[in-house]
Amino acid sequence: MSSDPAARAGALLEIDLGAIVSNWRLLAERAAPAQCAAVVKANAYGLGAAPVTRALTAAGCRLFFVATLDEGIALRAALGPEPEIAVFNGPLPGTAAEFAAHRLIPVLNEPGQIRAWTGQKASPAILHVDTGMSRLGLSAREFTGLADELPKTGIAWRAIISHLACADTPDHALNEQQRARFAAATHRMPGVPASLAASSGIFLGPAYHFDFARPGAALYGVNPQPGRPNPMRQVVRLSGKILQVREIDRGESVGYGAAHVMQKPGRVATVAVGYADGWLRSLSHRGCGYIGGKRIPLLGRVSMDLVTFDVSAIEAAQARPGASIELLGEHYGVDDAAADAGTIGYEILTALGSRFHRIYRDPAATPLPE
């Protein structure tokens, strides 16, 4: 009986913390002299907020953004008292005391949140103004109506922020419109640090950098400049284990719905990964894996726990039960998988499931425990 969790797992997910640190440093260099925060919401885009933020803290990052209060509480427990942690969604009614107890900075998105936070003994907060996303943040009308009162609330304004809707499309006219609207808003709050650019916004140039940037997806290897070479290092390597290899004749079908029919005799490998693990069903009939640097096509439909690949062109010694197929890595990155699945790299990362055995490699490439 094996006591090795890596041996028991159907797939291994390796997370290169050194690559994340390298990506943060590259983004910080591009944003300089502006400072560089890090967005680690959704459990650091599915990769593990605690190990990721510890590595980034050691590299010099001092400000982290999460989405929810619970994420903030968990991150504070992992990091201790020193780094700043801001919560994008802000305080829901009745939660102000918890923000204060865990030293979390709320992002105040609407007048009710501002009223609820007023009088919190000069506790810091971040003001979010909407400049074109129409999602969270004060509308232009709301900000205009409140701007003169904001300095009188007693709130210690840590920053004013907004969010670009089309930063990954550099030529989109809305980018400059949002930048100009945000610049005008910052003039109403002199002396308060300002932040507009996330990952792609950093690459729009210095006019978008303001006082600090807050990259997210690019830290984890997602290309912040779609259609151009990716300047970021790949962070994850996912390898699924082969459970069975079988000979299959011409005319036989593979998987649910008999959706793939073999055009010639071949060999099919069944791998212990499925949509329950975040290997999206939309990769059915698309996608691929790699064995020894050779591409192998995915066959038929992705099912809950299993997926099948055509290994006809792979030597039997390499495609055998217990051997691995690389599903994500240098040959086939998160953006490649996203393109085949008809989605974005963000979804590929955040969908990666809990059944994978995770191996963290520190900046010196030493394996760390989970």
Side-chain angles (χ1 to χ4, degrees), residues 56-78:
L56 289 173
T57 298
C61 187
R62 293 294 178 266
L63 173 59
F64 298 95
F65 283 84
V66 296
T68 69
L69 174 57
D70 282 344
E71 288 181 349
I73 292 171
L75 190 59
R76 177 60 72 205

Side-chain angles (χ1 to χ4, degrees), residues 334-346:
V334 293
D335 291 307
D336 300 313
D340 284 340
T343 184
I344 55 177
Y346 300 62

Side-chain angles (χ1 to χ4, degrees), residues 296-309:
I296 53 174
L298 187 155
L299 298 182
R301 294 179 182 172
V302 176
S303 53
M304 182 179 290
D305 312 300
L306 304 169
V307 67
T308 50
F309 292 90

